[in-house]
Amino acid sequence: QVHLVESGGGSVQAGGSLRLSCEVSGVTYGTYSTYYMAWFRQAPGKKREGVAAIDIIHAGIYADAVKGRFTISRDNAENTLSLQMNSLKPEDTAMYYCAAGLRAWSLRESAYNYWGQGTQVTVSS
């Protein structure tokens, strides 16, 4: 069973930066490098939404709300996924989740089979 653990969340003022990390373990089918990876977030009272996804050749796609501010990356040697978040805004406040899947490079939840427990990001104005 693939296991994902997020870290790096916290509280920051608007305009600040945070870097989220996700450690992946338990990959028994294929290797970590063959998994599509993504970050999602869910704010209180809102649906979970895709933030960024990265494919097996390290190409990234981003939600319009974070383009130019967030950067997704992966280290296949360390089985880790990262999200560098710059110029944070109060509307970025949410629980952030790491997700892994073999089906598609997508910002849709249905593309991913495995999820972490989340890390909280709070941005104050």
Side-chain angles (χ1 to χ4, degrees), residues 56-71:
I56 59 177
I57 59 170
H58 299 235
I61 53 173
Y62 299 89
D64 289 343
V66 306
K67 279 181 183 175
R69 300 188 297 121
F70 290 11
T71 302

Side-chain angles (χ1 to χ4, degrees), residues 52-99:
I54 189 166
D55 74 357
I56 59 177
I57 59 170
H58 299 235
I61 53 173
Y62 299 89
D64 289 343
V66 306
K67 279 181 183 175
R69 300 188 297 121
F70 290 11
T71 302
I72 189 171
S73 61
R74 66 191 297 166
D75 185 333
N76 289 339
E78 297 293 331
N79 285 17
T80 58
L81 177 74
S82 297
L83 185 69
Q84 178 66 42
M85 305 186 295
N86 298 328
S87 302
L88 282 161
K89 304 175 181 180
E91 51 263 44
D92 294 319
T93 295
M95 185 71 78
Y96 282 72
Y97 299 90
C98 173

